[in-house]
């Protein structure tokens, strides 16, 4: 393939990769790769990409919230539904009531669908427990999901998602910071700590207390920030060198600059934007200008983003947010890996894990062009076809 001079994708026409021990060892044009002694898999044309990485999901939950979808279509807002006892806390009730086995069985079916659409690595958050025991239960389910359908699961403790009904705010935040965060860190159940910084959730000051606890426990942080309003969450998260700040519809220039300086990845979630029929677009031009890496993710959750298709989200990122096809692909590969703090995947390059997808398409731009392309024709996880 002609890496076209400034082609950010580094495409190779008539390319080949050599794999060994689950890793990529050589990449180039077919004639340049030494095939001696290797089993040859002919993909028969099409395009090979890195396995897709979904860096923001709430895959483990009880129940669904299909009725809220109908309420929103009838005119109720996300905030009104939350204030009326629906929203996140209704999923909390269903998640507390479900057994670990029930949560696992339902999450496995969703993970099968994500995998079939091209995912080889998926981040999974807790956050529908709001008490330590249920948060631990959710994270144990995330751990049990790891490897299902060949997917690497990266668990995140979503520490501050909603205030439990009837709880005292200050006491709750303090308990999460002092007790739950260290408990989950010590048990090795999460790779990072997340929170929802928003006027219907928690202030930047409240989140800071939990982020300080995460830092003390040696866990990196990420944040749901600037989704419905500008709470200066992304700038605060950047002070903690957050791996990512996610949503970001209401991010301002100062926030974008703070993220760039900290190396914090912007994770855009177009399916949540679509589902909530938001109109305030994330400032993609500001992110580009500031040099912030942009990832995209499904945000699969029962309330605001019931989707299990990564290619659909690529299309939405292009159609709704104006990402180029290359930005959309980078957003679900190399930049999504960075959002998870992983540097062993997300690119087709020597030394990377051989997590790969073969797509039956003529042009790579078709990934973001079809409105929900069916999944890859073949998917390889650490070199094995799955
Ligand atoms: O990423 N914004 C907060 N959390 C989820 C929504 C969770 C829910 O409504 O259940 C999100 O969109
Ligand atoms: Fe989310």
């Amino acid at each position: 393939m002609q890496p076209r001079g400034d082609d950010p994708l580094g495409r190779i026409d008539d390319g080949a990769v050599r794999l060994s021990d689950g890793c990529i060892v050589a990449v180039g044009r077919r004639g340049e790769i030494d095939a001696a002694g290797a089993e040859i898999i002919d993909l028969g044309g099409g395009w090979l990409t890195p396995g897709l990485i979904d860096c923001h999901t709430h895959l483990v939950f009880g129940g669904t919230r299909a009725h809220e979808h109908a309420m929103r279509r009838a005119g109720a807002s996300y905030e009104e539904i939350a204030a009326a006892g629906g929203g996140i806390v209704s999923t909390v009730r269903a998640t507390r009531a479900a057994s670990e086995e029930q949560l696992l069985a339902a999450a496995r079916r969703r993970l099968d669908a994500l995998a079939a659409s091209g995912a080889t690595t998926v981040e999974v958050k807790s956050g529908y427990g709001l008490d330590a025991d249920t948060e631990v239960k959710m994270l144990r389910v995330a751990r049990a999901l790891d490897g299902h359908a060949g997917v690497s699961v990266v668990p995140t403790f979503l520490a501050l998602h909603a205030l439990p009904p009837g709880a005292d705010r200050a006491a709750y935040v303090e308990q999460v910071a002092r007790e739950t965060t260290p408990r989950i860190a010590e048990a090795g159940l999460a790779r990072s700590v997340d929170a929802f910084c928003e006027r219907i959730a928690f202030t930047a000051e409240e989140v800071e207390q939990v982020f300080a606890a995460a830092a003390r426990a040696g866990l990196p942080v990420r944040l749901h920030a600037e989704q419905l309003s500008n709470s200066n969450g992304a700038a605060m998260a950047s002070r903690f060198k957050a791996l990512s700040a996610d949503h970001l519809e209401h991010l301002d220039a100062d926030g974008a600059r703070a993220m760039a300086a900290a190396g914090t990845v912007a994770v855009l979630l177009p399916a949540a934007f679509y589902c909530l029929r938001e109109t305030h677009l994330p400032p993609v031009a500001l992110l580009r200008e500031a040099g912030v890496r942009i990832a995209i993710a499904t945000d699969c959750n029962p309330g605001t983003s019931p989707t299990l298709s990564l290619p659909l989200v690529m299309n939405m990122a292009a159609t709704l947010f104006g990402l180029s096809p290359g930005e959309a692909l980078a957003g679900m590969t190399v930049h999504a890996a960075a959002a998870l703090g992983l540097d062993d995947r997300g690119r087709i390059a020597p030394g990377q894990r051989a997590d790969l997808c073969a797509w039956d398409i003529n042009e790579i731009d078709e990934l973001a062009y079809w409105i929900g392309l069916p999944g890859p024709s073949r998917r390889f996880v650490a070199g094995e076809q799955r």
Side-chain angles (χ1 to χ4, degrees), residues 56-58 123 125 128 158 161 194-196 224 227 246-247 269 272 298-301 304-305:
H56 182 145
T57 85
H58 306 251
E123 185 254 17
K125 301 177 195 298
Y128 290 126
L158 175 42
H161 198 191
D194 195 350
F196 185 18
H224 289 69
Q227 180 185 10
D246 305 35
H247 287 287
L269 305 169
T298 62
D299 191 16
C300 174
N301 76 71
T304 63
S305 194

Side-chain angles (χ1 to χ4, degrees), residues 312-326:
L312 174 62
V313 169
M314 278 197 230
N315 172 270
M316 287 181 167
T319 307
L320 299 173
F321 294 169
L323 264 59
S324 70

Side-chain angles (χ1 to χ4, degrees), residues 21-47:
D21 291 332
C23 283
I24 297 166
V25 292
V27 184
R29 289 183 71 116
R30 195 142 50 126
E32 296 162 2
I33 301 298
D34 175 14
E39 176 202 351
I40 295 176
I41 303 175
D42 186 350
L43 296 174
W47 282 87

Side-chain angles (χ1 to χ4, degrees), residues 147-223:
H148 180 74
V151 176
S152 305
V153 168
V154 180
T156 297
F157 173 39
L158 175 42
L160 293 180
H161 198 191
L163 190 65
D168 175 79
R169 290 192 77 82
Y172 179 68
V173 172
E174 182 165 328
Q175 189 192 16
V176 170
R178 290 253 182 117
E179 293 170 28
T180 320
T181 302
R183 175 176 161 191
I184 283 169
E186 269 160 40
L189 281 168
R191 299 264 287 271
S192 67
V193 173
D194 195 350
F196 185 18
C197 184
E198 190 53 69
R199 56 190 179 207
I200 58 165
F202 295 91
T203 65
E205 291 69 31
E206 289 165 339
V207 173
E208 248 182 292
Q209 294 178 49
V210 171
F211 279 6
R216 284 194 295 276
L219 286 176
V221 298
R222 61 180 68 256
L223 187 65

